[in-house]
Amino acid sequence: MNDSPGWASPGSSPSDGERPGAPSDQPASGGPKWSAEQPPPGDWSAPGAGPAPTPPPPAPPQQGQGWGPYGGQQHGAPYGSPYGGQYGYPGGPGQWGKPPAAKPGVIPLRPLDMGEILDGAVATMRAHWRSVLPITLVVATVVQVLSLLLQKYVMSDLALATDPAADIEQTINTLGTASAVTAGALFIQALGGIVATAMLTMIFSRAVLGNSSTVSAAWRDARPQLLRLTGLTLLMGLGLISLVTVLIVPGLLARSAGLVVLGGFAAVPLATWLWIKFGLASPALMLEKSTVFTSLRRSSKLVKGTWWRIFGITLLTGIITGIIAAIIVWPLTFLGVALFGGGMGGLQAGTASTAWGALILSGIGAIIAQTIVMPMQSGVTVLLYVDQRIRREGLDLELARAAGVENYGTTGG
């Protein structure tokens, strides 16, 4: 029996193991779980909207109407499944094919293929750009301004610190200052990424239902979970750092290059496996209103058995976004070096990386690239989470009812 929580609307209470509105004497665990039963129409409402209207009872099946939840007979298919059943398509029996799925938002409510996941992310960016782009633009601008200042001043200080003429005390002070500034910049970057991820998750979850969202509404829905999302991000980051440290430090202590290389070869695939295994924890935490460790368990459960598929989609997304970023950033970087950094001579002298003109042009390119790439990466993660829940838990039924799709998941005679 399915023990998955329901689709929690942004801003609702937790739904881990208990159906909202269930009697108070119903146990949270050990008893029947509500997600295995079909909730009554209108039980789940779309974020920011009232309850969905109660659909009328399904009409009796008629010959030639099609099959499944799309208005006709269905033979041999599970309850609510849009697959299987009669040979035919909606509007005429006796022909091969499958019915079109309901699509209230950016994706059809059925298991998705890789192209549909990528298209859904792009479609959300295009349809809801007034909400998506301001979030990513602000975060990308703050991050790049800090990076520019870091590269301009801290890198110059590091160059002075490595000068043989500098005394030891000056070198230590400069390195300490540079380390503190770098750590502060990285912290602000991580904080900005967490805020952007949380708000984008809410926007994409609404887009699945065909609902729009404002920046203020996304912030209001995401804010209650920000502290937990920060804890999840720090936990995953520290976990990966600890893993790499445990596998590589013994070789460094033993001063064995072979042992270091062996530890590195072991760390990369193991870290990749863990990163994909827990890659859906962020949307699970935000949309199910769960805790840090519950979201990690949910991600592990959803990814189980489909690790390679999720890895492939994640890798392809990384390649696509990397190419997009390179197309935008590198031309502006080369132009900045050529115009303001002294060209090849500046590169050889090391002055090109600290020239204001080159840094500004490179930063502008990075801001544009991150503004485009960040929502695409977040969108793919959210849609992977939705797709896995549709495949494993029949989430499409709840989404259809939340979107007000009538007669979805009903059977004929």
Side-chain angles (χ1 to χ4, degrees):
M1 186 172 290
N2 199 339
D3 64 349
S4 61
W7 176 267
S9 75
S12 65
S13 58
S15 59
D16 186 14
E18 184 178 53
R19 177 177 178 172
S24 59
D25 58 346
Q26 182 178 354
S29 61
K33 302 297 182 178
W34 69 270
S35 60
E37 302 173 4
Q38 304 303 327
D43 183 69
W44 191 94
S45 60
T54 302
Q62 299 178 9
Q63 185 176 3
Q65 279 189 312
W67 50 296
Y70 307 98
Q73 294 181 353
Q74 184 177 11
H75 300 290
Y79 178 82
S81 172
Y83 308 103
Q86 278 184 284
Y87 303 127
Y89 65 92
Q95 300 187 28
W96 291 93
K98 66 180 181 180
K103 189 178 180 181
V106 294
I107 59 170
L109 299 183
R110 56 168 170 74
L112 307 174
D113 59 35
M114 180 173 61
E116 289 170 330
I117 290 175
L118 294 172
D119 180 69
V122 175
T124 303
M125 295 168 57
R126 185 171 59 248
H128 304 282
W129 63 271
R130 290 180 179 86
S131 301
V132 172
L133 294 186
I135 296 171
T136 56
L137 180 61
V138 169
V139 172
T141 301
V142 172
V143 168
Q144 289 306 315
V145 168
L146 290 174
S147 298
L148 185 149
L149 296 175
L150 179 69
Q151 191 170 356
K152 174 64 179 178
Y153 294 109
V154 177
M155 294 303 177
S156 300
D157 291 342
L158 288 176
L160 292 175
T162 56
D163 188 351
D167 56 35
I168 296 178
E169 184 177 356
Q170 180 183 0
T171 301
I172 293 176
N173 291 337
T174 303
L175 290 175
T177 302
S179 300
V181 172
T182 302
L186 291 177
F187 175 77
I188 295 177
Q189 292 178 25
L191 186 62
I194 290 170
V195 173
T197 299
M199 297 177 68
L200 290 174
T201 298
M202 295 305 175
I203 292 175
F204 275 92
S205 69
R206 290 172 179 264
V208 169
L209 302 178
N211 298 331
S212 60
S213 178
T214 63
V215 175
S216 59
W219 168 251
R220 184 174 60 252
D221 294 333
R223 185 174 54 189
Q225 290 292 97
L226 278 178
L227 187 59
R228 289 179 175 178
L229 183 61
T230 303
L232 174 65
T233 304
L234 292 176
L235 181 61
M236 293 182 65
L238 291 175
L240 288 177
I241 293 174
S242 300
L243 174 66
V244 174
T245 301
V246 168
L247 293 175
I248 293 181
V249 166
L252 295 175
L253 295 177
R255 297 183 179 181
S256 170
L259 195 57
V260 171
V261 172
L262 182 62
F265 275 117
V268 171
L270 187 54
T272 303
W273 178 74
L274 290 173
W275 189 258
I276 298 299
K277 180 181 178 67
F278 299 119
L280 303 183
S282 174
L285 183 143
M286 297 300 301
L287 298 177
E288 297 177 16
K289 309 299 181 187
S290 61
T291 62
V292 172
F293 292 102
T294 300
S295 66
L296 291 172
R297 289 194 297 269
R298 286 286 291 145
S299 178
S300 177
K301 178 181 177 180
L302 292 172
V303 173
K304 184 178 181 181
T306 57
W307 189 94
W308 283 107
R309 176 177 179 272
I310 295 176
F311 169 75
I313 295 175
T314 303
L315 178 62
L316 179 61
T317 302
I319 293 173
I320 293 174
T321 54
I323 292 174
I324 293 174
I327 291 174
I328 297 172
V329 172
W330 284 111
L332 289 176
T333 300
F334 290 144
L335 182 62
V337 170
L339 295 178
F340 305 103
M344 295 300 298
L347 289 175
Q348 294 176 355
T351 58
S353 61
T354 57
W356 274 115
L359 288 174
I360 291 174
L361 279 180
S362 177
I364 291 174
I367 289 173
I368 298 173
Q370 286 190 3
T371 301
I372 298 173
V373 164
M374 194 184 304
M376 187 172 181
Q377 293 173 333
S378 297
V380 168
T381 302
V382 173
L383 295 181
L384 273 173
Y385 163 82
V386 174
D387 175 58
Q388 288 302 107
R389 289 202 60 186
I390 290 176
R391 291 172 181 270
R392 292 181 178 271
E393 303 167 359
L395 182 65
D396 55 321
L397 296 172
E398 296 181 47
L399 293 176
R401 294 189 179 106
V405 179
E406 297 185 356
N407 298 332
Y408 186 90
T410 59
T411 58

